[in-house]
Amino acid sequence: MKQSIRSVYNFNAGPSALPLPVLEKAQQELVDFRGTGMSIMELSHRSKAYDDVHNEAIARLKRLFSIPDNYEVLFLQGGASLQFSMIPMSFLNPGQKAGYVMTGAWAEKAFDEAKLFGEPYQVASTKENNHSTIPGVNDLQYNEDDAYVHLTSNNTIYGTQWKEFPDTGDVPLIADMSSDIMSKPIDVSKFGLIYAGAQKNLGPSGVTVVIIRKDLLERSNQEIPTMLNYNTHAKSNSLYHTPPTFGIYMLGEVLRWIDELGGLEAVAKQNEEKAKLIYDVIDGSGGFYRGHAEPESRSLMNITFKLADESLEKKFLDQAKEAGFVGLNGHRSVGGCRASTYNSVPVEACLALSEFMTRFQKNNS
């Protein structure tokens, strides 16, 4: 599973690294896609050539993610941010309640949108500890007649991630998985709906994946605009209007790359290895580096940390940039440092970062 290394180490939080083999294949096919004499970007979305790309991507996603037959896979636009509105618009009727688990900025944005349609409330919150943990699955207090329970599976800004998901019984569980979808196997059947922007683990920005249980489709609100109705897209195989064809092509090629690596089990093992390289340096630094997330809640996708001596942080980031590390600045709202180690970031990049961090500590202690 050794991957090629480029001239920089890309740790951007999103849009983020893409597999070099996928980019090289896209480059080769850019002008003449599969003998059509046209670029994939020039093909009609009603053509046989594009239809094959579209359906191959859906089929591969279903197989790799072990999506049961009673779910639809949709390719939408508007990013995860539009889902913040589409979900309550579809499932949260006036006077109804929906529970939101508040673990960071994206959960807060989703919560605020839900206020426009019904009565969202907080099932649990980690705000008091600056979102350094994930709530225990047994600590969630929700109502049996809730429209749904919503959570964010991985928090890019604070570097926390759910290790296990709650069983919410008859209450649909909805998850924003934008930053860790396809990073490990999960039991999709636990969820009523999963959504994710593609630009972290699945491909370039511009495509949003929605995995929705068919019974939810059947009981969703139909008195909403056509383009915001999940049924519109489910009935048309996500081809009601012109989809982001190039983005879906790239998504399909990233899925092919995951398949060739050995599937999600192999990807998960590699992600654990990558994160360990960096967390081990943090834990072994004697406090020189300080991780934000508590160990039991640490993300394998976004490793957040600060230097104990804040005056050294700018020096660290400047020297890291000179050494070819891109995207290590923490989110503007919290500062510090962040290494986003998504699927496409190779082991070699994480090893190089761990070695750089060790050298920097030695030279500045």
Side-chain angles (χ1 to χ4, degrees):
M1 292 177 17
K2 186 178 177 65
Q3 301 171 42
S4 301
I5 285 288
R6 289 177 280 184
S7 58
V8 298
Y9 302 111
N10 185 354
F11 289 96
N12 276 320
S16 56
L18 287 166
L20 182 57
V22 171
L23 292 172
E24 290 173 337
K25 183 177 182 182
Q27 182 184 46
Q28 294 167 4
E29 295 185 329
L30 186 63
V31 176
D32 183 2
F33 177 70
R34 299 182 184 178
T36 61
M38 295 175 285
S39 170
I40 183 71
M41 292 181 283
E42 300 175 293
L43 293 177
S44 167
H45 66 292
R46 307 294 182 190
S47 67
K48 173 66 166 57
Y50 175 72
D51 203 44
D52 289 344
V53 169
H54 192 93
N55 291 326
E56 284 171 11
I58 291 173
R60 198 178 294 271
L61 181 63
K62 285 182 175 179
R63 181 171 57 79
L64 282 170
F65 213 29
S66 301
I67 299 173
D69 292 339
N70 61 325
Y71 285 76
E72 293 279 0
V73 171
L74 310 178
F75 293 145
L76 306 182
Q77 297 179 59
S81 295
L82 183 57
Q83 295 304 304
F84 298 162
S85 300
M86 281 183 70
I87 288 164
M89 187 181 295
S90 298
F91 306 115
L92 184 55
N93 298 316
Q96 266 195 308
K97 294 184 177 182
Y100 280 72
V101 187
M102 311 301 285
T103 52
W106 305 113
E108 291 168 3
K109 290 179 184 293
F111 182 77
D112 286 343
E113 289 297 302
K115 292 177 184 176
L116 300 174
F117 303 97
E119 298 180 22
Y121 69 95
Q122 297 186 18
V123 170
S125 174
T126 56
K127 190 172 184 177
E128 288 187 359
N129 62 33
N130 197 22
H131 301 304
S132 61
T133 62
I134 290 294
V137 294
N138 296 322
D139 297 331
L140 308 183
Q141 301 295 321
Y142 56 89
N143 306 307
E144 292 184 359
D145 58 351
D146 283 346
Y148 56 82
V149 171
H150 177 283
L151 60 80
T152 307
S153 62
N154 183 82
N155 300 283
T156 56
I157 294 175
Y158 297 97
T160 59
Q161 185 179 28
W162 291 75
K163 306 304 180 186
E164 60 175 326
F165 296 107
D167 182 352
T168 54
D170 293 333
V171 179
L173 180 61
I174 294 178
D176 176 357
M177 291 192 180
S178 293
S179 53
D180 67 348
I181 192 170
M182 302 292 289
S183 66
K184 59 183 179 181
I186 68 163
D187 182 0
V188 173
S189 69
K190 278 193 167 188
F191 299 88
L193 188 153
I194 292 169
Y195 64 98
Q199 67 274 10
K200 300 175 188 292
N201 266 338
L202 292 177
S205 59
V207 185
T208 305
V209 172
V210 171
I211 303 166
I212 183 170
R213 212 170 59 216
K214 292 179 180 178
D215 68 289
L216 281 186
L217 277 172
E218 294 170 359
R219 65 177 192 256
S220 63
N221 182 10
Q222 298 303 300
E223 302 300 319
I224 57 177
T226 302
M227 283 297 294
L228 300 176
N229 189 330
Y230 291 113
N231 284 279
T232 298
H233 305 287
K235 290 175 181 176
S236 62
N237 193 31
S238 301
L239 292 165
Y240 177 77
H241 66 140
T242 307
T245 55
F246 183 74
I248 292 170
Y249 157 71
M250 289 293 288
L251 182 148
E253 291 303 321
V254 171
L255 293 175
R256 187 190 304 276
W257 173 80
I258 290 174
D259 211 356
E260 291 171 353
L261 285 180
L264 294 189
E265 290 79 6
V267 166
K269 182 178 179 181
Q270 182 168 278
N271 285 333
E272 291 171 1
E273 177 185 354
K274 292 186 304 186
K276 187 176 187 299
L277 286 168
I278 301 170
Y279 281 127
D280 279 355
V281 174
I282 294 171
D283 292 342
S285 70
F288 186 85
Y289 299 107
R290 295 180 178 177
H292 176 76
E294 293 297 323
E296 68 275 7
S297 297
R298 283 173 168 173
S299 170
L300 298 182
M301 298 286 97
N302 307 99
I303 300 170
T304 53
F305 60 96
K306 292 185 176 183
L307 278 70
D309 183 349
E310 291 187 13
S311 66
L312 285 176
E313 279 187 7
K314 185 178 185 303
K315 182 178 180 181
F316 174 85
L317 291 168
D318 287 346
Q319 290 189 5
K321 186 175 181 180
E322 291 174 3
F325 297 97
V326 176
L328 288 179
N329 293 73
H331 191 270
R332 60 186 179 276
S333 65
V334 297
C337 308
R338 171 175 58 180
S340 296
T341 55
Y342 301 123
N343 288 353
S344 300
V345 176
V347 173
E348 291 85 352
C350 297
L351 177 60
L353 178 57
S354 70
E355 292 172 346
F356 171 80
M357 291 172 67
T358 299
R359 288 196 305 273
F360 185 85
Q361 179 181 356
K362 181 179 179 181
N363 294 335
N364 291 276
S365 295

